[in-house]
Amino acid sequence: MRRPLIVGNWKMNKTASEAVAFIRDLCGRVSASPHADVVLAPPFTALESASRALGSSSWISLCAQDIHWEPHGAFTGEVSAPMLLDLGCRYVIVGHSERRILFGERDEHIQKKVRSALRHGLSPILCVGESLGDREAGQTETVVTAQLKGSLAELSMRDLATVTIAYEPVWAIGTGRTATTEQAASVHRSIRLFVEIGWNSETASAIRILYGGSVTPQNIKSLLVSDTIDGALVGGACLDPDSFATILRLAQIPRA
Ligand code: PGA
């Protein structure tokens, strides 16, 4: 049985001190639940203060929004897996569509990032998703499968078991236009099939696949109705503690 996972991606929002205030506020509104895992992804500059505010045994895990694939070296502006681990991160988002589209990240980079995260003991949250043009051209599955192939090729079963996949249609991110539960579930099923064919059915049924793209307190419940949708990667709606707490509460209701 897969435990739902809710990830809040702050993107380029909140200073280090705002992160502390947010975490205090959030923890006053909602508490740990045996029914869902919760992850917060502040910007690099707020990871340390967020880590301190959470403490070492928090029910909320810390996540970075990106990573460089080398452990250290002359890579101005980049941050590596050992640096993130040292701050208490357990997860890292890799291949977010904003990185792919705005910063030219390609699958070959993303594959190196996934591997580096795994090598150092961070759990990658790999983002995949089609553009509106891809969807309208009937290319959703082809595009998503190519991204998966390019990023996960030749991972061992053991490594893949630590990866979370986030299906995030580009046309749904920050637009207020959510995929329907059926649209998301259908892509999730094709992702599971890809894993089953490439690895095996146990891995396919164990891997967590999230949905991301305009998730709100209003639509989270209907998305989680699908038994193939294992949680959400939340952007805009995670910035406000009240709205994120509501999403967490709704996700923490045991699944049927
Ligand atoms: P959104 O962002 O919830 O604001 O659409 C989701 C994401 O980019 O992960």
Side-chain angles (χ1 to χ4, degrees):
M1 185 71 172
R2 300 180 299 268
R3 265 161 76 87
L5 168 64
I6 304 292
V7 184
N9 175 13
W10 291 358
K11 307 191 179 185
M12 197 174 73
N13 292 291
K14 298 192 191 296
T15 62
S17 39
E18 285 165 351
V20 175
F22 176 96
I23 287 166
R24 287 197 184 131
D25 190 334
L26 182 71
C27 292
R29 290 169 191 269
V30 66
S31 47
S33 152
H35 303 297
D37 293 330
V38 179
V39 168
L40 272 185
F44 290 137
T45 47
L47 283 173
E48 180 165 19
S49 69
S51 178
R52 279 182 214 268
L54 289 170
S56 55
S57 57
S58 177
W59 53 278
I60 300 177
S61 303
L62 204 56
C63 177
Q65 296 176 17
D66 193 18
I67 187 181
H68 190 272
W69 53 83
E70 291 294 340
H72 49 76
F75 302 100
T76 302
E78 295 293 325
V79 171
S80 74
M83 295 170 179
L84 298 174
L85 277 172
D86 189 52
L87 288 176
C89 288
R90 288 187 47 209
Y91 293 83
V92 59
I93 296 171
V94 177
H96 190 279
S97 63
E98 285 151 14
R99 302 286 330 157
R100 293 176 190 260
I101 295 165
L102 303 173
F103 301 99
E105 246 179 48
R106 297 196 305 271
D107 289 332
E108 66 201 75
H109 305 131
I110 295 162
Q111 184 186 35
K112 290 198 228 175
K113 292 180 178 200
V114 167
R115 286 176 177 273
S116 174
L118 290 167
R119 200 164 47 244
H120 291 94
L122 284 169
S123 301
I125 300 172
L126 170 70
C127 301
V128 293
E130 82 288 2
S131 68
L132 188 57
D134 297 332
R135 176 160 284 267
E136 286 172 350
Q139 293 299 305
T140 300
E141 251 184 60
T142 312
V143 168
V144 168
T145 305
Q147 290 171 338
L148 292 168
K149 268 194 191 135
S151 320
L152 300 176
E154 289 165 34
L155 278 195
S156 69
M157 226 142 54
R158 196 158 155 255
D159 276 346
L160 190 66
T162 335
V163 176
T164 298
I165 297 171
Y167 166 57
E168 299 208 298
V170 176
W171 48 270
I173 295 180
T175 58
R177 188 177 161 196
T178 324
T180 63
T181 305
E182 192 36 48
Q183 281 173 326
S186 147
V187 179
H188 280 221
R189 283 192 289 270
S190 72
I191 295 173
R192 263 185 229 289
L193 188 61
F194 168 85
V195 174
E196 185 175 340
I197 293 167
W199 287 266
N200 61 20
S201 58
E202 288 76 47
T203 314
S205 57
I207 196 163
R208 284 200 284 203
I209 308 179
L210 313 181
Y211 166 78
S214 297
V215 172
T216 63
Q218 288 71 41
N219 60 31
I220 181 72
K221 251 179 106 176
S222 63
L223 288 161
L224 293 181
V225 160
S226 164
D227 62 4
T228 190
I229 301 179
D230 301 318
L233 180 46
V234 186
C238 82
L239 293 174
D240 170 52
D242 181 37
S243 122
F244 194 51
T246 307
I247 290 176
L248 296 184
R249 258 184 247 114
L250 292 169
Q252 285 170 347
I253 296 164
R255 299 171 90 181

